[in-house]
Amino acid sequence: MDGPYSSGPSTGAAFQPLVDALLVGDHKRAAAVAQHLVEQGCSRERIVTEGLEHAMGLLDEKCTVESFNLLEIMLVGRAVSAVVRVLYPGGYAPTEGRATFVIATLEGDVHDLGKNIVRMVLAGKGFRVVDLGRDCPVGDLVSAAQHEGAAAVLVSGLISPVVSQVRKLRPALRACGLAHVPVVAGGAALKQLRPEALDVDYVAENAFDGAHYLERHVLGTPGS
Amino acid sequence: MNSLERILRATRLEPVDRTPLVPQLFGHAAITAGLSLRDYLHDGEALAHAQVLERERYRTDAVFAFLDFGVEAEALGAPLSFRADRYPDVVGCVLRAEDDPSRLRLPDPAAAGRMPVCLQALRAMRRRLGDDALVAGAVAGPMTTSAQLYGIENALYLAIDDPPRLAAALDFATRLAIAYGLAQLDAGAHAVIVFEPAASPAVVPPAFFREFVAPRLARVLGGLRDGGAAFTWLNIAGPTAGILDAYARIGADVATFDYYLSAAEACHLLPQTCLAGNLRSLDFLDAAPGVVEHQARELVVAFEGRSGFLLSSGCEIPPEAAAESIAAMAAALSVE
Ligand code: B12
């Protein structure tokens, strides 16, 4: 039936139902539509680029620093995660995705809402994100960066005691031969400080701002 | 005018001899007293001792029996992980997304988890201070407790997936906050601060706050007032410009505002409510003491002629904050 899915050039319209389901945050419908697309023979890569990334681009345009509806983003994020689970039941493999990032909330900090949103936004943009959760020691983050071949290390910090831990990241990366791996920080406590004060490459205002930085400066591709 | 009288007058927007000094010094008192945070959070006598010491050291007008945001969930069976020098983490949820909150029973504040630590601290502080200074208790608001019971993401998703279930959780948490707060008043608290970080506009949109949270907060504050609280106090951190005006309707006599709002904006939104704020917590770590003193001084000036102001921080002053910075805030008042 839906020929365009299985072969030949497809129109963006074929992905509209997926984009719509994603943007209204209907995770069940998004997963079902993605499943249907897979069954029609549509490649996972195209579902990611024309479905997920497209929807994320639209959400991104809507979300400015002034108008940032967390709940809406979380719902889209949940729908994105549901689609990624359909496409990659075991998660993106290291060779899949546009690049790999490792992310964590550092030791002693339980705030993980922001981190989870960053993970979902980046997954929606086709990146593989290894999430080390919350309360993560600096050493674990650095060794994950090493094992996973991370293109960047991301840290989220909402309480002040994590500031000193963030400052330890770069020296720890350097000690493992990862001096070239950029560090991006975000979250209520860290974004009150400048990158130099934290010894990181960039301090993101929000998840999309961070994603833009990663797209432009880490991967050298223009942000959407 | 003693410390308690000064604060009470400020809560009624009456003239005071000087601006009350009520910084949010909680775990910081443990450090001052040479205690680990873990011990401080487990021993009411030690907590009381540290709070009294902290007040003497910085000549503040209040002491607080605030422990952490794990207390309510722990009293309902949630496992917490403690570390010597950090606030605890709720490591397992009491409710899964599909669980009905009606299976929960209200805990007995005299026996459940560390609630007795708080009550013991209040008794000890009141014994030491009598009516000289404000002895404040603390409870988590309904959204914060629900977030700790379900996990914050699941709690938020429930607002969309199953609003009646979230409403049931919030109603349960409302009853819990009242019961725990009344026990604190009974133990000697003059007032009980209601902390509701999970309903901050940093997390939920103002419309969500008005629909789900505000009516329940009104019940909590009303319950505490009926239970004999000298006044009510609502404390929500973050960018609260979109919800602050609702605090008066909710019944808050004192409203905390964070550094995201200016004093003028807060006064405009709540002309008849005592305001507490709004020094930046992180400045107590990073800024020079002179900067803190200058900002504190500017705040005092901004509220001149209004009364109805408690000099404070917009949220907790971090436990590792520098003593000089806290002293600098206090110094801003001594030159008044
Ligand atoms: C909700 C909340 C909680 C919840 C957290 C639930 C959870 N699982 O996350 C609960 C109630 C548990 C909680 C507990 C505590 N909290 Co709290 N909490 C908040 C609050 C109100 C909102 C935080 C939040 O979730 N925001 C929404 C998210 C989405 O925003 P975000 O994290 O900033 O993320 C966005 C961006 O910053 C960005 N981002 C974030 N990280 C990253 C990373 C990268 C790489 C990038 C690119 C982008 C990025 O993307 C996100 C989306 O755009 C803030 C107030 C505030 N102004 O932030 C206080 C706040 C963070 N908490 C604070 C404190 C003090 C605590 C406690 C220590 C209190 C206590 N005494 O027990 C405990 C923490 C215990 C611990 N060990 O950590 C202080 C921190 C002050 C400080 N300087 O240290 C704050 C600032 C205010 C306050 N008065 O409470 N809290």
Side-chain angles (χ1 to χ4, degrees), chain A residues 1 10 27 37 41 49 51 66 68 93 97 100 114 148 156 161-162 181 210 218:
Chain A
M1 33 186 264
S10 98
H27 63 292
L37 287 169
T49 44
E66 295 75 38
F68 197 93
T100 295
E148 303 289 348
S156 178
V162 304
V181 176
V218 176

Side-chain angles (χ1 to χ4, degrees), chain B residues 267-308:
Chain B
C267 289
H268 172 74
L269 291 167
L270 285 174
Q272 299 299 329
T273 306
C274 177
L275 290 157
N278 72 342
L279 294 167
R280 259 165 67 127
S281 298
L282 220 62
D283 281 350
F284 289 88
L285 287 180
D286 259 46
V291 173
V292 175
E293 179 170 350
H294 175 75
Q295 281 161 353
R297 183 96 212 103
E298 290 210 313
L299 266 173
V300 172
V301 170
F303 280 95
E304 242 160 35
R306 182 193 196 260
S307 183

Side-chain angles (χ1 to χ4, degrees), chain A residues 68 70 103 108-115 117-118 134 154-161 184-189 191 204-208 210-211, chain B residues 26 66-69 86-89 144 148 152 197-198 200 202-203 237-239 258 260 281-282 314-316 318:
Chain A
F68 197 93
L70 185 75
I103 190 168
D109 190 353
V110 307
H111 301 85
D112 57 356
L113 201 50
K115 168 185 69 61
I117 286 169
V118 174
R134 60 193 197 185
L154 318 182
V155 276
S156 178
L158 278 90
I159 60 167
S160 38
V184 177
K191 74 187 185 193
E205 187 50 42
N206 62 39
F208 288 104
Chain B
F26 310 139
F66 172 84
L67 277 64
D68 51 75
F69 291 119
R86 298 280 156 78
Y87 283 110
D89 184 6
T144 301
Q148 295 288 50
I152 192 162
S200 165
V203 181
D258 211 340
Y260 297 78
S281 298
L282 220 62
C315 71
E316 179 180 3

Side-chain angles (χ1 to χ4, degrees), chain B residues 88-99:
Chain B
D89 184 6
V90 177
V91 288
C93 290
V94 173
L95 296 168
R96 288 162 306 165
E98 60 276 16
D99 286 343

Side-chain angles (χ1 to χ4, degrees), chain A residues 157 185-194 198 203-206, chain B residues 259-260:
Chain A
L190 301 184
K191 74 187 185 193
Q192 293 181 47
L193 299 170
R194 306 184 55 75
L198 289 169
V203 179
E205 187 50 42
N206 62 39
Chain B
Y259 71 92
Y260 297 78

Side-chain angles (χ1 to χ4, degrees), chain B residues 230-242:
Chain B
F231 59 91
T232 58
W233 185 338
L234 179 56
N235 186 329
I236 304 180
T240 51

Side-chain angles (χ1 to χ4, degrees), chain B residues 172-187:
Chain B
F172 173 80
T174 300
R175 293 200 303 277
L176 172 58
I178 295 172
Y180 184 31
L182 291 179
Q184 294 182 27
L185 291 170
D186 235 31

